[in-house]
């Protein structure tokens, strides 16, 4: 499959498969693992544009940037143009090389403040925000949206044109409206229309979990890149599988048991170190649950490992599971 590199401002993203920002999931440790498996670009979890809240532990972890992984992309969410512009400047001061603006989040807490996907209802405000942020920083500004507020108002093409006119340098689109939340299947016709309508790179997003699906989405949308969210949860190696599409038609590389064990142990240690033991153990539970979906005979292991409170126990139980499963046969069919 031939896909030219994704160009965002001065950055050339060699692998067009990128990790979706996911609050509570794509923290620095997870982003590092996905990059190791070839994710072309990763984005921080959404951070509020209200910089007065940046001293909370949640924001501090979210703004702990991985400065050695270029480009460093930070996503901000808010509704006030000037506040978003100031937040963008502050992110650049901390090392952000691309600022991504969130206009896709469906969460009530966010939409109530007319941020995230709620902004799609107010095209004038979208233009004001994008103009203000682009003017405030010298780094590229990108945008992430849904296809519209609800199926009766799929205005992604309008928003995309506004974005391009305001100087946005790439656009990621989740193929659902806000009203659709995560229900049903993502649709790609709207994304295809957006791709046709604008000249900046367009990244398609929604329900891409396999190589077959990624090929289908590329065919349907003709997009410049694909963004993977839930498909990477507990499966960071998905980026290696997808990258192979670009170089050959090779069969899915087999992930052996030892490699999976090392990925999990590495991830656990990184989480414990990054968050400290108390929070690290809690955050690790959801990743362990996702990893278990790839493991055979893992019910008992899962049941135990999500209940322990210490880092050393999480690691011990994980090692024991793999010792017990003995060698290369522990992957679920
Ligand atoms: C747990 C979770 C957290 C998310 N947080 C964010 C976020 O912080 N910023 C954002 O733009 N999108 C966020 N999203 C949306 C994803 O980036 C993505 O658009 C969506 O999951 C659809 O892609 P997928 O089908 O590949 O998962 C989140 C999604 C999930 C499941």
């Amino acid at each position: 499959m031939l896909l030219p590199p994704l160009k965002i401002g001065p950055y050339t993203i060699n692998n067009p498969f990128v990790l979706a920002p996911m609050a509570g999931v794509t923290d620095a440790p997870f982003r590092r693992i996905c990059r190791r498996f070839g994710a072309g670009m990763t984005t921080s979890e959404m951070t509020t544009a209200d910089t007065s809240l940046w001293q909370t532990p949640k924001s501090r972890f979210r703004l702990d940037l991985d400065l050695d992984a270029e480009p460093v992309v930070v996503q901000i969410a808010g509704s006030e143009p000037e506040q978003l512009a100031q937040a963008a400047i502050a992110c650049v001061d901390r090392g952000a090389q691309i600022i991504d603006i969130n206009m896709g989040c469906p969460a009530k807490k966010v939409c109530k403040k007319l941020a995230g996907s709620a902004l799609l209802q107010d095209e004038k405000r979208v233009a004001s925000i994008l103009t203000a942020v682009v003017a405030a920083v010298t780094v590229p500004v990108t945008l992430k949206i849904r296809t519209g507020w609800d199926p009766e108002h799929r205005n992604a093409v309008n928003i995309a044109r506004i974005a391009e006119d305001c100087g946005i340098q790439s656009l990621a689109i989740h193929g659902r409206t806000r009203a659709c939340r995560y229900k049903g299947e993502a649709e790609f016709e709207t994304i295809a229309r957006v791709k046709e309508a604008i000249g900046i790179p367009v990244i398609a997003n929604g329900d891409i979990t396999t190589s077959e699906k990624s090929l289908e989405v590329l065919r349907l949308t003709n997009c410049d890149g694909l963004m993977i969210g839930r498909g990477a949860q507990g499966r960071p190696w998905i980026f290696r599988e997808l990258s192979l599409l670009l170089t050959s038609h090779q069969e899915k590389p087999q992930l052996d048991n030892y490699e999976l064990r090392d990925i999990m142990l590495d991830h656990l240690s990184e989480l414990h170190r990054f968050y400290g033991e108390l929070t690290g153990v809690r955050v690790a539970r959801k990743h362990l649950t996702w990893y278990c979906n790839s493991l055979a005979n893992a019910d008992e292991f899962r049941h135990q490992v999500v209940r322990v409170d210490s880092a050393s126990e999480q690691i011990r139980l994980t090692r024991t599971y793999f010792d017990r499963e003995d060698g290369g046969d522990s992957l679920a069919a």
Side-chain angles (χ1 to χ4, degrees), residues 20-26 44-47 62 75 100-106 144-146 173-176 182 186 205-209 227-233 290:
M22 287 182 285
V25 183
T26 57
S44 74
E45 306 159 85
M46 158 178 80
T47 302
R62 287 189 179 186
Q75 188 185 68
D100 186 51
I101 302 177
N102 180 326
M103 294 194 187
C105 181
K144 181 160 178 285
I145 62 172
R146 287 184 169 234
I173 313 180
H174 176 189
R176 287 186 176 86
Y182 292 92
N205 169 237
D207 301 349
I208 301 167
T209 52
M227 179 176 268
I228 322 297
R230 289 164 296 170
Q233 291 174 350
W290 290 322

Side-chain angles (χ1 to χ4, degrees), residues 210-277:
T210 61
S211 307
E212 295 74 29
K213 183 76 182 191
S214 72
L215 288 173
E216 184 194 337
V217 176
L218 283 172
R219 185 177 52 75
L220 290 173
T221 63
N222 195 28
C223 271
D224 306 278
L226 297 183
M227 179 176 268
I228 322 297
R230 289 164 296 170
Q233 291 174 350
R235 293 173 63 223
W237 54 86
I238 190 173
F239 292 100
R240 184 170 66 187
E241 292 176 11
L242 299 181
S243 311
L244 280 175
L245 290 177
L246 298 180
T247 49
S248 64
H249 293 287
Q250 206 175 316
E251 282 290 298
K252 226 163 65 172
Q254 276 301 323
L255 182 76
D256 80 28
N257 200 22
Y258 298 110
E259 192 178 7
L260 183 47
R261 177 196 63 192
D262 292 346
I263 294 166
M264 289 174 67
L265 290 173
D266 225 45
H267 195 175
L268 288 177
S269 305
E270 281 275 300
L271 289 171
H272 299 151
R273 189 188 55 76
F274 183 75
Y275 288 107
E277 179 160 14

